[in-house]
Structure formats: C-alpha cells, structure tokens
Amino acid sequence: DTAVSQTPKYLVTQMGNDKSIKCEQNLGHDTMYWYKQDSKKFLKIMFSYNNKELIINETVPNRFSPKSPDKAHLNLHINSLELGDSAVYFCASSQGAQGGTGELFFGEGSRLTVL
Amino acid sequence: GNSVTQMEGPVTLSEEAFLTINCTYTATGYPSLFWYVQYPGEGLQLLLKATKADDKGSNKGFEATYRKETTSFHLEKGSVQVSDSAVYFCALSESHTGANSKLTFGKGITLSVRP
C-alpha cells in the first residue's frame, strides 16, 4: 500500500498548456510538500502545507498554484507551461514540520516534459 | 542563509570498496543533519540522521558523524555493494520546531558501484 502516491508518473505536454499533478498520502501526516528536481538532480522546495494551510512558498512563479482540499491531499496546478518547467516534481509528507524530525516521506515523482 | 555543499560527482567504485561522500554545511544556530538516498526511479528516503554535535547516525552499514568544529557530516561505508548505487543527498533542518522550518538539500551525488 503506497504511502505517498502521485499521479501521473509521466506527463508530456506542449508549451502554453495547463496541467495538474495530484498527490495523496495515507500516513496520517499533517504536513505536505512539493519539491522540484532539475536535470542535475538538484532538489528545491516549492510549497509546504500544514493542515491545509500554506506555510512555505519559495518564490515560485504564480503560474504554479497548489491546492490542499484536505490534509491528505496536495495538488499542483501549473498554468501556461514553459520549457523550464520540465523537471521531476516530488510530493512529500511529514508529521509536523520538517524541522521536527527531518523525516520526509516522498512519492515516486512525476516527470514533466514540456515540448 | 543555510546551505549544504556536497562533493562533486559522479562517483564510481568497485564492489567492496570503501566509500566517503563529503558534506559540509553553513547554518545559523544548531541544525539537525540528514542523509537521504534516491534509488533509480524512486523518491527520496531517509538513510540516517544526527540531531546534535558528535552524534553518529547509522543505517544499512552507512555512518555519518555530526562534526560541529568542521561543520561536516561526511557519509561513509566500509564495503559498498552494487545495490548501493543511487543518488545521495545531504540535508539540514534549520530548527527543531516551527511550522515553517524546512529542509535544505545539497545537490546530490550519484554513486555507481561496479560488480
């Protein structure tokens, strides 16, 4: 039973399109995150939600809009996709803030390719 | 601000070789330190952690010691296996509490182990 699941795993789309990635966790955690991993494997936090409330927004273009309908779900919607948005997007969750235990549970990633 | 610096990769070793992956950090205060591992096609998972100076984290034959005097958290393993081939990330958390504390990751280093 997958703890943190993301869909879709792969997404190929044209520039200018709008797309969404969904994430669900069944661990009962209260904090969820979106990370972006570029082609050089560099991992950078984008957003963090604690109990459906946005607590971290790391200078991400407003074309990216996260939505947390409940604490088990955190979706990422991207408008007007650009070539530079091509990356692997990871969802993660933790019990409490990252600084608490530092243990994040990651999904398998969603590879987005913008053509 | 906080930062994590990892040695440049990739690293290629023969099976049973000794592994060291260097990690140094810059932080205000007293961070917790972590190593995460990403196996091919998967999300990151916590490998080990240390929460205060001189602590040693260990798991699966890997070890790392929190060295405050050298601001380092180098990862070591005495005898690597082919199954250790993965990307390794050093990370720090800036505080133990607070909803907006977060993990800062290093750039990651790819380890390939030859049979």
Side-chain angles (χ1 to χ4, degrees), chain A residues 67-102:
Chain A
K67 278 199 174 59
S68 183
D70 55 61
K71 72 176 191 177
H73 295 83
L74 180 61
N75 304 323
L76 183 65
H77 188 75
I78 317 171
N79 290 326
S80 304
L81 279 156
E82 300 177 357
L83 292 177
D85 297 333
S86 295
V88 181
Y89 292 84
F90 284 99
C91 177
S93 72
S94 67
Q95 184 54 39
Q98 295 182 72
T101 65

PDB file of all heavy atoms in Angstrom, chain A residues 67-102:
ATOM      1  N   LYS A  67      -3.014  23.322  -4.230  1.00  0.00           N
ATOM      2  CA  LYS A  67      -4.316  23.309  -3.565  1.00  0.00           C
ATOM      3  C   LYS A  67      -4.372  22.095  -2.658  1.00  0.00           C
ATOM      4  O   LYS A  67      -4.035  20.988  -3.079  1.00  0.00           O
ATOM      5  CB  LYS A  67      -5.456  23.228  -4.585  1.00  0.00           C
ATOM      6  CG  LYS A  67      -5.837  24.542  -5.194  1.00  0.00           C
ATOM      7  CD  LYS A  67      -7.222  24.515  -5.823  1.00  0.00           C
ATOM      8  CE  LYS A  67      -7.660  25.880  -6.296  1.00  0.00           C
ATOM      9  NZ  LYS A  67      -6.753  26.458  -7.281  1.00  0.00           N
ATOM     10  N   SER A  68      -4.820  22.326  -1.430  1.00  0.00           N
ATOM     11  CA  SER A  68      -4.920  21.236  -0.460  1.00  0.00           C
ATOM     12  C   SER A  68      -6.356  21.132   0.021  1.00  0.00           C
ATOM     13  O   SER A  68      -6.749  21.826   0.964  1.00  0.00           O
ATOM     14  CB  SER A  68      -3.966  21.492   0.709  1.00  0.00           C
ATOM     15  OG  SER A  68      -3.998  20.424   1.627  1.00  0.00           O
ATOM     16  N   PRO A  69      -7.167  20.261  -0.590  1.00  0.00           N
ATOM     17  CA  PRO A  69      -8.576  20.145  -0.185  1.00  0.00           C
ATOM     18  C   PRO A  69      -8.729  19.553   1.221  1.00  0.00           C
ATOM     19  O   PRO A  69      -9.714  19.841   1.900  1.00  0.00           O
ATOM     20  CB  PRO A  69      -9.170  19.205  -1.238  1.00  0.00           C
ATOM     21  CG  PRO A  69      -8.011  18.474  -1.824  1.00  0.00           C
ATOM     22  CD  PRO A  69      -6.838  19.384  -1.718  1.00  0.00           C
ATOM     23  N   ASP A  70      -7.782  18.736   1.631  1.00  0.00           N
ATOM     24  CA  ASP A  70      -7.753  18.199   2.994  1.00  0.00           C
ATOM     25  C   ASP A  70      -6.306  17.821   3.287  1.00  0.00           C
ATOM     26  O   ASP A  70      -5.462  17.856   2.390  1.00  0.00           O
ATOM     27  CB  ASP A  70      -8.686  16.988   3.166  1.00  0.00           C
ATOM     28  CG  ASP A  70      -8.404  15.893   2.160  1.00  0.00           C
ATOM     29  OD1 ASP A  70      -7.269  15.357   2.175  1.00  0.00           O
ATOM     30  OD2 ASP A  70      -9.289  15.583   1.338  1.00  0.00           O
ATOM     31  N   LYS A  71      -6.015  17.447   4.502  1.00  0.00           N
ATOM     32  CA  LYS A  71      -4.598  17.294   4.851  1.00  0.00           C
ATOM     33  C   LYS A  71      -3.964  16.050   4.239  1.00  0.00           C
ATOM     34  O   LYS A  71      -2.758  15.888   4.312  1.00  0.00           O
ATOM     35  CB  LYS A  71      -4.411  17.323   6.375  1.00  0.00           C
ATOM     36  CG  LYS A  71      -4.894  16.118   7.123  1.00  0.00           C
ATOM     37  CD  LYS A  71      -4.532  16.273   8.609  1.00  0.00           C
ATOM     38  CE  LYS A  71      -4.767  14.971   9.343  1.00  0.00           C
ATOM     39  NZ  LYS A  71      -4.371  15.042  10.761  1.00  0.00           N
ATOM     40  N   ALA A  72      -4.766  15.195   3.614  1.00  0.00           N
ATOM     41  CA  ALA A  72      -4.204  14.009   2.950  1.00  0.00           C
ATOM     42  C   ALA A  72      -3.905  14.243   1.478  1.00  0.00           C
ATOM     43  O   ALA A  72      -3.339  13.376   0.811  1.00  0.00           O
ATOM     44  CB  ALA A  72      -5.158  12.832   3.098  1.00  0.00           C
ATOM     45  N   HIS A  73      -4.284  15.395   0.959  1.00  0.00           N
ATOM     46  CA  HIS A  73      -4.116  15.672  -0.473  1.00  0.00           C
ATOM     47  C   HIS A  73      -3.467  17.022  -0.688  1.00  0.00           C
ATOM     48  O   HIS A  73      -3.794  18.003  -0.017  1.00  0.00           O
ATOM     49  CB  HIS A  73      -5.481  15.669  -1.186  1.00  0.00           C
ATOM     50  CG  HIS A  73      -6.157  14.337  -1.180  1.00  0.00           C
ATOM     51  ND1 HIS A  73      -6.914  13.877  -0.125  1.00  0.00           N
ATOM     52  CD2 HIS A  73      -6.164  13.344  -2.110  1.00  0.00           C
ATOM     53  CE1 HIS A  73      -7.363  12.670  -0.402  1.00  0.00           C
ATOM     54  NE2 HIS A  73      -6.932  12.319  -1.602  1.00  0.00           N
ATOM     55  N   LEU A  74      -2.538  17.038  -1.659  1.00  0.00           N
ATOM     56  CA  LEU A  74      -1.942  18.311  -2.079  1.00  0.00           C
ATOM     57  C   LEU A  74      -1.714  18.219  -3.581  1.00  0.00           C
ATOM     58  O   LEU A  74      -0.899  17.428  -4.051  1.00  0.00           O
ATOM     59  CB  LEU A  74      -0.619  18.576  -1.358  1.00  0.00           C
ATOM     60  CG  LEU A  74       0.077  19.883  -1.740  1.00  0.00           C
ATOM     61  CD1 LEU A  74      -0.805  21.080  -1.412  1.00  0.00           C
ATOM     62  CD2 LEU A  74       1.422  20.009  -1.036  1.00  0.00           C
ATOM     63  N   ASN A  75      -2.450  19.029  -4.324  1.00  0.00           N
ATOM     64  CA  ASN A  75      -2.361  19.015  -5.780  1.00  0.00           C
ATOM     65  C   ASN A  75      -1.580  20.229  -6.252  1.00  0.00           C
ATOM     66  O   ASN A  75      -1.503  21.257  -5.563  1.00  0.00           O
ATOM     67  CB  ASN A  75      -3.759  18.995  -6.388  1.00  0.00           C
ATOM     68  CG  ASN A  75      -4.578  17.814  -5.875  1.00  0.00           C
ATOM     69  OD1 ASN A  75      -4.043  16.725  -5.664  1.00  0.00           O
ATOM     70  ND2 ASN A  75      -5.863  18.030  -5.652  1.00  0.00           N
ATOM     71  N   LEU A  76      -0.982  20.086  -7.424  1.00  0.00           N
ATOM     72  CA  LEU A  76      -0.204  21.184  -8.009  1.00  0.00           C
ATOM     73  C   LEU A  76      -0.726  21.456  -9.407  1.00  0.00           C
ATOM     74  O   LEU A  76      -0.709  20.563 -10.263  1.00  0.00           O
ATOM     75  CB  LEU A  76       1.275  20.805  -8.063  1.00  0.00           C
ATOM     76  CG  LEU A  76       2.231  21.868  -8.585  1.00  0.00           C
ATOM     77  CD1 LEU A  76       2.269  23.069  -7.653  1.00  0.00           C
ATOM     78  CD2 LEU A  76       3.637  21.289  -8.760  1.00  0.00           C
ATOM     79  N   HIS A  77      -1.189  22.674  -9.630  1.00  0.00           N
ATOM     80  CA  HIS A  77      -1.662  23.064 -10.948  1.00  0.00           C
ATOM     81  C   HIS A  77      -0.677  24.064 -11.547  1.00  0.00           C
ATOM     82  O   HIS A  77      -0.214  24.968 -10.849  1.00  0.00           O
ATOM     83  CB  HIS A  77      -3.053  23.702 -10.853  1.00  0.00           C
ATOM     84  CG  HIS A  77      -3.671  23.956 -12.184  1.00  0.00           C
ATOM     85  ND1 HIS A  77      -4.199  22.967 -12.978  1.00  0.00           N
ATOM     86  CD2 HIS A  77      -3.785  25.108 -12.895  1.00  0.00           C
ATOM     87  CE1 HIS A  77      -4.646  23.484 -14.105  1.00  0.00           C
ATOM     88  NE2 HIS A  77      -4.401  24.769 -14.081  1.00  0.00           N
ATOM     89  N   ILE A  78      -0.333  23.848 -12.805  1.00  0.00           N
ATOM     90  CA  ILE A  78       0.623  24.732 -13.480  1.00  0.00           C
ATOM     91  C   ILE A  78      -0.029  25.302 -14.728  1.00  0.00           C
ATOM     92  O   ILE A  78      -0.476  24.555 -15.609  1.00  0.00           O
ATOM     93  CB  ILE A  78       1.913  23.981 -13.870  1.00  0.00           C
ATOM     94  CG1 ILE A  78       2.393  23.069 -12.732  1.00  0.00           C
ATOM     95  CG2 ILE A  78       3.002  24.988 -14.242  1.00  0.00           C
ATOM     96  CD1 ILE A  78       3.524  22.139 -13.118  1.00  0.00           C
ATOM     97  N   ASN A  79      -0.083  26.621 -14.787  1.00  0.00           N
ATOM     98  CA  ASN A  79      -0.646  27.312 -15.959  1.00  0.00           C
ATOM     99  C   ASN A  79       0.460  27.704 -16.931  1.00  0.00           C
ATOM    100  O   ASN A  79       1.611  27.916 -16.528  1.00  0.00           O
ATOM    101  CB  ASN A  79      -1.379  28.593 -15.523  1.00  0.00           C
ATOM    102  CG  ASN A  79      -2.653  28.298 -14.782  1.00  0.00           C
ATOM    103  OD1 ASN A  79      -3.333  27.322 -15.069  1.00  0.00           O
ATOM    104  ND2 ASN A  79      -2.975  29.136 -13.814  1.00  0.00           N
ATOM    105  N   SER A  80       0.091  27.831 -18.182  1.00  0.00           N
ATOM    106  CA  SER A  80       0.988  28.379 -19.217  1.00  0.00           C
ATOM    107  C   SER A  80       2.388  27.778 -19.129  1.00  0.00           C
ATOM    108  O   SER A  80       3.386  28.478 -18.923  1.00  0.00           O
ATOM    109  CB  SER A  80       1.079  29.911 -19.080  1.00  0.00           C
ATOM    110  OG  SER A  80      -0.182  30.486 -19.137  1.00  0.00           O
ATOM    111  N   LEU A  81       2.467  26.483 -19.274  1.00  0.00           N
ATOM    112  CA  LEU A  81       3.727  25.761 -19.097  1.00  0.00           C
ATOM    113  C   LEU A  81       4.832  26.309 -19.993  1.00  0.00           C
ATOM    114  O   LEU A  81       4.608  26.668 -21.155  1.00  0.00           O
ATOM    115  CB  LEU A  81       3.519  24.279 -19.360  1.00  0.00           C
ATOM    116  CG  LEU A  81       2.925  23.543 -18.148  1.00  0.00           C
ATOM    117  CD1 LEU A  81       2.204  22.280 -18.582  1.00  0.00           C
ATOM    118  CD2 LEU A  81       4.008  23.245 -17.142  1.00  0.00           C
ATOM    119  N   GLU A  82       6.051  26.362 -19.423  1.00  0.00           N
ATOM    120  CA  GLU A  82       7.232  26.816 -20.143  1.00  0.00           C
ATOM    121  C   GLU A  82       8.263  25.686 -20.200  1.00  0.00           C
ATOM    122  O   GLU A  82       8.209  24.749 -19.395  1.00  0.00           O
ATOM    123  CB  GLU A  82       7.837  28.032 -19.416  1.00  0.00           C
ATOM    124  CG  GLU A  82       6.885  29.197 -19.308  1.00  0.00           C
ATOM    125  CD  GLU A  82       7.481  30.353 -18.512  1.00  0.00           C
ATOM    126  OE1 GLU A  82       8.611  30.210 -18.004  1.00  0.00           O
ATOM    127  OE2 GLU A  82       6.790  31.391 -18.398  1.00  0.00           O
ATOM    128  N   LEU A  83       9.217  25.831 -21.123  1.00  0.00           N
ATOM    129  CA  LEU A  83      10.242  24.788 -21.278  1.00  0.00           C
ATOM    130  C   LEU A  83      10.975  24.541 -19.953  1.00  0.00           C
ATOM    131  O   LEU A  83      11.282  23.398 -19.600  1.00  0.00           O
ATOM    132  CB  LEU A  83      11.247  25.181 -22.358  1.00  0.00           C
ATOM    133  CG  LEU A  83      10.723  25.230 -23.783  1.00  0.00           C
ATOM    134  CD1 LEU A  83      11.828  25.713 -24.734  1.00  0.00           C
ATOM    135  CD2 LEU A  83      10.220  23.869 -24.231  1.00  0.00           C
ATOM    136  N   GLY A  84      11.234  25.610 -19.218  1.00  0.00           N
ATOM    137  CA  GLY A  84      11.980  25.499 -17.967  1.00  0.00           C
ATOM    138  C   GLY A  84      11.233  24.797 -16.854  1.00  0.00           C
ATOM    139  O   GLY A  84      11.809  24.513 -15.795  1.00  0.00           O
ATOM    140  N   ASP A  85       9.970  24.496 -17.082  1.00  0.00           N
ATOM    141  CA  ASP A  85       9.192  23.765 -16.078  1.00  0.00           C
ATOM    142  C   ASP A  85       9.458  22.263 -16.155  1.00  0.00           C
ATOM    143  O   ASP A  85       9.024  21.520 -15.269  1.00  0.00           O
ATOM    144  CB  ASP A  85       7.696  24.027 -16.273  1.00  0.00           C
ATOM    145  CG  ASP A  85       7.318  25.481 -16.064  1.00  0.00           C
ATOM    146  OD1 ASP A  85       8.022  26.175 -15.299  1.00  0.00           O
ATOM    147  OD2 ASP A  85       6.336  25.931 -16.685  1.00  0.00           O
ATOM    148  N   SER A  86      10.145  21.833 -17.196  1.00  0.00           N
ATOM    149  CA  SER A  86      10.460  20.410 -17.331  1.00  0.00           C
ATOM    150  C   SER A  86      11.345  19.976 -16.159  1.00  0.00           C
ATOM    151  O   SER A  86      12.409  20.565 -15.918  1.00  0.00           O
ATOM    152  CB  SER A  86      11.200  20.142 -18.647  1.00  0.00           C
ATOM    153  OG  SER A  86      10.366  20.416 -19.745  1.00  0.00           O
ATOM    154  N   ALA A  87      10.882  18.986 -15.441  1.00  0.00           N
ATOM    155  CA  ALA A  87      11.585  18.532 -14.227  1.00  0.00           C
ATOM    156  C   ALA A  87      10.832  17.336 -13.675  1.00  0.00           C
ATOM    157  O   ALA A  87       9.798  16.930 -14.229  1.00  0.00           O
ATOM    158  CB  ALA A  87      11.611  19.644 -13.180  1.00  0.00           C
ATOM    159  N   VAL A  88      11.354  16.805 -12.574  1.00  0.00           N
ATOM    160  CA  VAL A  88      10.603  15.802 -11.823  1.00  0.00           C
ATOM    161  C   VAL A  88      10.054  16.496 -10.586  1.00  0.00           C
ATOM    162  O   VAL A  88      10.802  17.148  -9.846  1.00  0.00           O
ATOM    163  CB  VAL A  88      11.473  14.597 -11.409  1.00  0.00           C
ATOM    164  CG1 VAL A  88      10.623  13.580 -10.645  1.00  0.00           C
ATOM    165  CG2 VAL A  88      12.107  13.950 -12.630  1.00  0.00           C
ATOM    166  N   TYR A  89       8.765  16.377 -10.369  1.00  0.00           N
ATOM    167  CA  TYR A  89       8.116  17.009  -9.234  1.00  0.00           C
ATOM    168  C   TYR A  89       7.809  15.932  -8.195  1.00  0.00           C
ATOM    169  O   TYR A  89       7.160  14.929  -8.497  1.00  0.00           O
ATOM    170  CB  TYR A  89       6.845  17.740  -9.682  1.00  0.00           C
ATOM    171  CG  TYR A  89       7.156  18.929 -10.547  1.00  0.00           C
ATOM    172  CD1 TYR A  89       7.369  18.785 -11.919  1.00  0.00           C
ATOM    173  CD2 TYR A  89       7.293  20.200  -9.997  1.00  0.00           C
ATOM    174  CE1 TYR A  89       7.697  19.867 -12.711  1.00  0.00           C
ATOM    175  CE2 TYR A  89       7.612  21.298 -10.785  1.00  0.00           C
ATOM    176  CZ  TYR A  89       7.825  21.116 -12.128  1.00  0.00           C
ATOM    177  OH  TYR A  89       8.159  22.194 -12.913  1.00  0.00           O
ATOM    178  N   PHE A  90       8.304  16.176  -6.993  1.00  0.00           N
ATOM    179  CA  PHE A  90       8.095  15.210  -5.907  1.00  0.00           C
ATOM    180  C   PHE A  90       7.150  15.787  -4.868  1.00  0.00           C
ATOM    181  O   PHE A  90       7.324  16.913  -4.399  1.00  0.00           O
ATOM    182  CB  PHE A  90       9.425  14.863  -5.213  1.00  0.00           C
ATOM    183  CG  PHE A  90      10.292  13.940  -5.997  1.00  0.00           C
ATOM    184  CD1 PHE A  90      11.343  14.434  -6.749  1.00  0.00           C
ATOM    185  CD2 PHE A  90      10.063  12.574  -5.975  1.00  0.00           C
ATOM    186  CE1 PHE A  90      12.161  13.583  -7.477  1.00  0.00           C
ATOM    187  CE2 PHE A  90      10.871  11.709  -6.698  1.00  0.00           C
ATOM    188  CZ  PHE A  90      11.923  12.219  -7.449  1.00  0.00           C
ATOM    189  N   CYS A  91       6.196  14.968  -4.489  1.00  0.00           N
ATOM    190  CA  CYS A  91       5.353  15.267  -3.350  1.00  0.00           C
ATOM    191  C   CYS A  91       5.953  14.563  -2.141  1.00  0.00           C
ATOM    192  O   CYS A  91       6.570  13.487  -2.272  1.00  0.00           O
ATOM    193  CB  CYS A  91       3.938  14.757  -3.632  1.00  0.00           C
ATOM    194  SG  CYS A  91       2.766  14.966  -2.287  1.00  0.00           S
ATOM    195  N   ALA A  92       5.797  15.143  -0.977  1.00  0.00           N
ATOM    196  CA  ALA A  92       6.297  14.519   0.244  1.00  0.00           C
ATOM    197  C   ALA A  92       5.376  14.888   1.401  1.00  0.00           C
ATOM    198  O   ALA A  92       4.590  15.838   1.313  1.00  0.00           O
ATOM    199  CB  ALA A  92       7.733  14.971   0.545  1.00  0.00           C
ATOM    200  N   SER A  93       5.498  14.120   2.475  1.00  0.00           N
ATOM    201  CA  SER A  93       4.716  14.438   3.671  1.00  0.00           C
ATOM    202  C   SER A  93       5.562  14.187   4.908  1.00  0.00           C
ATOM    203  O   SER A  93       6.572  13.470   4.861  1.00  0.00           O
ATOM    204  CB  SER A  93       3.425  13.608   3.720  1.00  0.00           C
ATOM    205  OG  SER A  93       3.713  12.245   4.029  1.00  0.00           O
ATOM    206  N   SER A  94       5.151  14.796   6.006  1.00  0.00           N
ATOM    207  CA  SER A  94       5.807  14.560   7.290  1.00  0.00           C
ATOM    208  C   SER A  94       4.801  14.800   8.408  1.00  0.00           C
ATOM    209  O   SER A  94       3.790  15.485   8.216  1.00  0.00           O
ATOM    210  CB  SER A  94       7.023  15.476   7.470  1.00  0.00           C
ATOM    211  OG  SER A  94       6.623  16.820   7.592  1.00  0.00           O
ATOM    212  N   GLN A  95       5.116  14.232   9.552  1.00  0.00           N
ATOM    213  CA  GLN A  95       4.285  14.508  10.712  1.00  0.00           C
ATOM    214  C   GLN A  95       4.899  15.717  11.403  1.00  0.00           C
ATOM    215  O   GLN A  95       6.008  15.653  11.901  1.00  0.00           O
ATOM    216  CB  GLN A  95       4.242  13.310  11.661  1.00  0.00           C
ATOM    217  CG  GLN A  95       3.314  13.517  12.842  1.00  0.00           C
ATOM    218  CD  GLN A  95       1.914  13.915  12.427  1.00  0.00           C
ATOM    219  OE1 GLN A  95       1.373  13.418  11.439  1.00  0.00           O
ATOM    220  NE2 GLN A  95       1.320  14.840  13.155  1.00  0.00           N
ATOM    221  N   GLY A  96       4.221  16.828  11.427  1.00  0.00           N
ATOM    222  CA  GLY A  96       4.799  18.047  11.949  1.00  0.00           C
ATOM    223  C   GLY A  96       5.676  18.674  10.886  1.00  0.00           C
ATOM    224  O   GLY A  96       5.809  18.179   9.766  1.00  0.00           O
ATOM    225  N   ALA A  97       6.331  19.764  11.237  1.00  0.00           N
ATOM    226  CA  ALA A  97       7.159  20.485  10.289  1.00  0.00           C
ATOM    227  C   ALA A  97       8.434  19.709  10.003  1.00  0.00           C
ATOM    228  O   ALA A  97       8.827  18.835  10.758  1.00  0.00           O
ATOM    229  CB  ALA A  97       7.516  21.851  10.873  1.00  0.00           C
ATOM    230  N   GLN A  98       9.105  20.048   8.915  1.00  0.00           N
ATOM    231  CA  GLN A  98      10.329  19.364   8.507  1.00  0.00           C
ATOM    232  C   GLN A  98      11.388  19.442   9.582  1.00  0.00           C
ATOM    233  O   GLN A  98      12.203  18.560   9.739  1.00  0.00           O
ATOM    234  CB  GLN A  98      10.873  19.985   7.230  1.00  0.00           C
ATOM    235  CG  GLN A  98       9.964  19.789   6.049  1.00  0.00           C
ATOM    236  CD  GLN A  98      10.590  20.380   4.802  1.00  0.00           C
ATOM    237  OE1 GLN A  98      11.542  19.845   4.267  1.00  0.00           O
ATOM    238  NE2 GLN A  98      10.056  21.487   4.351  1.00  0.00           N
ATOM    239  N   GLY A  99      11.398  20.556  10.294  1.00  0.00           N
ATOM    240  CA  GLY A  99      12.434  20.695  11.301  1.00  0.00           C
ATOM    241  C   GLY A  99      12.226  19.811  12.505  1.00  0.00           C
ATOM    242  O   GLY A  99      13.129  19.642  13.308  1.00  0.00           O
ATOM    243  N   GLY A 100      11.056  19.210  12.627  1.00  0.00           N
ATOM    244  CA  GLY A 100      10.761  18.380  13.774  1.00  0.00           C
ATOM    245  C   GLY A 100      11.662  17.161  13.839  1.00  0.00           C
ATOM    246  O   GLY A 100      12.550  17.061  14.666  1.00  0.00           O
ATOM    247  N   THR A 101      11.466  16.216  12.917  1.00  0.00           N
ATOM    248  CA  THR A 101      12.320  15.029  12.865  1.00  0.00           C
ATOM    249  C   THR A 101      13.161  15.022  11.598  1.00  0.00           C
ATOM    250  O   THR A 101      14.102  14.266  11.490  1.00  0.00           O
ATOM    251  CB  THR A 101      11.476  13.746  12.871  1.00  0.00           C
ATOM    252  OG1 THR A 101      10.705  13.715  11.663  1.00  0.00           O
ATOM    253  CG2 THR A 101      10.543  13.719  14.077  1.00  0.00           C
ATOM    254  N   GLY A 102      12.801  15.854  10.642  1.00  0.00           N
ATOM    255  CA  GLY A 102      13.506  15.883   9.357  1.00  0.00           C
ATOM    256  C   GLY A 102      13.140  14.740   8.468  1.00  0.00           C
ATOM    257  O   GLY A 102      13.661  14.635   7.371  1.00  0.00           O
TER     258      GLY A 102
END
